Amino acid sequence: MLEITDLHIYYGAIRALEGVTLRVDKGEIVTMIGANGAGKTTTIRSISGLVKPKTGTITFEGKPIHKMPPHEILKLGVGQSPEGRRVFANMTVHENLELGAYTILSDRKRVKQGIERAFHLFPRLKERETQLAGTLSGGEQQMLAIGRALMSGPRLLLLDEPSLGLAPFLVQTIFKIIREINQEQGVTVLLVEQNANQALKIASRGYVLETGRVIMEDTASSLLTNAEVRKAYLGE
Amino acid sequence: MIELFLNKLILGIQLGGVYALVAVGYTIVYGVLQFINFAHGDVYMVGAFMGMFVVKGFSEGSISSPVAMVVVLGMILIVAFFVSMRGHWKDPKGAAVRLVGFAVAFALIGTLVKLFLKGGVLLFKPITALAATNVIIGGIVALTVAVAWCAGLGVLIERTAYKPVRGTGRLTALITAIGVSLLIENGGQAVFGSDIHAYSLKDLPGGKQLLTGTLDLNLVGITLSVSKGQLIVLLATTALVLALTYIVRYTKFGKAMRAVAFDRDAAALMGINTDTIIAFTFLLGSGLAGAAGFLNFGLTGYTFDTNTGIMFGLKAFVAAVLGGIGNLYGAVLGGLVLGLAEMFVGGSPFSPYRDAIAFIILIAILLFRPSGLLGKNTVEKV
Ligand SMILES: Nc1ncnc2c1ncn2[C@@H]1O[C@H](COP(=O)(O)OP(=O)(O)O)[C@@H](O)[C@H]1O
Ligand SMILES: [Mg+2]
């Protein structure tokens, strides 16, 4: 479904990615783990078209997308919940969800269904529907960011550190819902996480990034038992 | 005494409305780009000229100067120019080509305007004849042409000058804006000449009855005499500001605009074409500046030249800063405060300082409340 080949990305003179190659198949949850600054966010942003690679290719369902602008990539069926959530703090929960459905806004029925689906996944959001997003707690903002990313009906969902800064019980909830989105709604997920333990538990495969390179790739269960991974990313 | 006060009040609100109309352009562009479009005042000046060409074209009676049609022709040229550039905007080395294209298009249109002003084209006879029979139709045509031309000019400036340097730093953008401003002022002088102009809708058939004299309002024993022309300016600016507010608050474009203003990358992730929204923001802001240019001169008969936009633009910018740059309602409030301040100072012993008021306000606001009257120091949640 998604194929990244030998991706090199620079920020000015700073090298962020040095040849990342990875693949996500339809129906999978794939996770990308790695320390701060490894290049996970850069990879996610390049898939969405927010940063452009110097060399390398990204294809989605066979179509090269690395030269497309973000709004066109979204229309192909790629949604993203960005690092730091980035909800529109000065707008209500409802307006945020509506913006998530920006490309299908004229189809009132689909928008309504989407909002209902989001409220079904995150009942907390329904209670807060008319509240400004900036007044939500961190966990609620994360729910909103995910709900908003689902509004356009993506087939591939990119999640950048959805558990960052959340209380432990909320982390559990978020991971449970990610699995639900994958299994019940059939959305393929590429999940970036610092919380490697949790991420590897719900993923089928995983990639380990270090200073802009993939240093390991395997099934999630093998990575979970890999001594090196356990030492470096699971705090043992 | 009280009559005098109320009269000044109305005049102040009317002047403030015109400032507001230009100030909102600074503020919405700042909102989406965090950039001060220093060429905005010059767009206002172009609006005054475009209105003049239409009104003079009509009022001179003879079809020998169907300038309105020339102006429309110019717009078609700009659109054609855009179409020819489609798909080439991203080409980095094309920046120079684009600027040359812009200059050529501008010179071409300018020459055409000049040519048609002197010569005559019979082709447009019937259309001009119709519009020239009535001040209301003529006024609406003039307003539409001023708005459309300036809206197109705003988009053209954004695409050809600002977009190529977007993301290369604030200083670059600022210098580019000053360059564009100089280009319009001096290019305008080359095309329109350096004469001082004045025109009035009064010159159109029926204009005298509609615009001459005052309207006497009787309020609990106090009689208020308001000049009809100024009352129309007041009503028109109010309507335009309300329309803009509606667009920004309730339409799909408006919502996208607010999203881009808040977080451009997040907006792009919603499927919003941020480039289109930015161009649309320039279109709206510049169109309103064009309307302000026409209203403030075409209905009052004040004089202007190609440098008129400099001082007025600076003052409208002060109004936007006063209200809180980036805040739409702030720009309206700032415009009104500035208009009132100028009106009341104008009639006082301090009247020689009328033009200085704006800058005294600017210094005061920068010292005591840099975020402006309605601007807030937002706290970001991490
Ligand atoms: N906007 C930016 N400008 C310059 N350097 C950046 C920018 N964003 C990220 N980087 C650099 O790119 C590298 C990868 O960062 P990032 O993709 O954010 O990593 P991660 O998400 O794994 O923490 C880091 O060295 C980081 O400092
Ligand atoms: Mg990151």
Side-chain angles (χ1 to χ4, degrees), chain A residues 34-42 44-45 83-84 160-161 164 192 194:
Chain A
N36 245 334
K40 307 180 296 294
T41 298
T42 302
I44 292 286
R45 284 168 63 83
E83 183 177 53
D160 196 347
E161 306 217 23
L164 191 74
V192 163
Q194 298 249 357

Side-chain angles (χ1 to χ4, degrees), chain A residues 72-112:
Chain A
E72 277 174 23
I73 296 174
L74 177 111
K75 279 186 206 147
L76 292 177
V78 182
Q80 188 197 134
S81 161
E83 183 177 53
R85 309 182 271 265
R86 318 254 308 241
V87 294
F88 299 106
N90 56 345
M91 298 189 211
T92 66
V93 167
H94 185 91
E95 285 176 310
N96 268 273
L97 291 174
E98 249 183 13
L99 276 170
Y102 183 80
T103 52
I104 54 161
L105 215 51
S106 51
D107 189 345
R108 294 313 302 176
K109 215 174 113 198
R110 256 183 90 189
V111 177
K112 203 157 160 263

Side-chain angles (χ1 to χ4, degrees), chain A residues 23-230:
Chain A
R23 184 187 94 242
V24 180
D25 294 330
K26 198 166 159 42
E28 280 191 301
I29 297 182
V30 171
T31 186
M32 208 176 356
I33 58 178
N36 245 334
K40 307 180 296 294
T41 298
T42 302
T43 309
I44 292 286
R45 284 168 63 83
S46 70
I47 300 168
S48 290
L50 291 172
V51 292
K52 298 291 171 213
K54 187 163 189 211
T55 57
T57 58
I58 306 172
T59 62
F60 178 68
E61 295 178 333
K63 202 182 251 176
I65 58 169
H66 52 276
K67 285 188 179 148
M68 283 188 183
H71 64 273
E72 277 174 23
I73 296 174
L74 177 111
K75 279 186 206 147
L76 292 177
V78 182
Q80 188 197 134
S81 161
E83 183 177 53
R85 309 182 271 265
R86 318 254 308 241
V87 294
F88 299 106
N90 56 345
M91 298 189 211
T92 66
V93 167
H94 185 91
E95 285 176 310
N96 268 273
L97 291 174
E98 249 183 13
L99 276 170
Y102 183 80
T103 52
I104 54 161
L105 215 51
S106 51
D107 189 345
R108 294 313 302 176
K109 215 174 113 198
R110 256 183 90 189
V111 177
K112 203 157 160 263
Q113 281 170 355
I115 291 181
E116 273 161 23
R117 200 170 48 219
F119 288 161
H120 176 74
L121 273 178
F122 304 106
R124 280 283 273 283
L125 292 184
K126 192 177 170 65
E127 296 164 27
R128 308 255 185 277
E129 187 171 358
T130 56
Q131 209 169 306
L132 289 183
T135 66
L136 301 180
S137 73
E140 289 161 350
Q141 287 191 2
Q142 186 59 59
M143 293 174 187
L144 181 56
I146 297 176
R148 187 180 67 174
L150 287 170
M151 286 299 293
S152 61
R155 292 189 296 284
L156 173 66
L157 179 64
L158 311 170
L159 297 172
D160 196 347
E161 306 217 23
S163 76
L164 191 74
L166 300 191
F169 76 96
L170 265 175
V171 174
Q172 295 293 336
T173 316
I174 294 282
F175 277 102
K176 202 182 108 241
I177 288 169
I178 293 170
R179 192 189 290 211
E180 209 174 303
I181 291 167
N182 175 252
Q183 290 180 348
E184 285 166 29
Q185 304 190 8
V187 179
T188 307
V189 175
L190 177 57
L191 170 66
V192 163
E193 262 302 336
Q194 298 249 357
N195 193 332
N197 193 24
Q198 290 278 355
L200 288 168
K201 273 181 190 155
I202 65 165
S204 55
R205 292 185 303 113
Y207 291 83
V208 181
L209 258 71
E210 203 176 281
T211 55
R213 291 172 209 269
V214 175
I215 54 160
M216 237 185 275
E217 65 168 288
D218 211 331
T219 60
S221 49
S222 327
L223 287 175
L224 257 178
T225 52
N226 182 301
E228 234 175 289
V229 173
R230 295 198 73 83

Side-chain angles (χ1 to χ4, degrees), chain B residues 160-199:
Chain B
T160 53
Y162 300 154
K163 194 177 166 200
V165 300
R166 208 188 291 158
T168 56
R170 283 180 174 228
L171 193 61
T172 319
L174 182 71
I175 293 168
T176 307
I178 292 170
V180 171
S181 174
L182 290 173
L183 178 69
I184 299 178
E185 282 153 24
N186 295 291
Q189 208 166 87
V191 175
F192 304 145
S194 55
D195 299 342
I196 293 175
H197 301 270
Y199 66 108

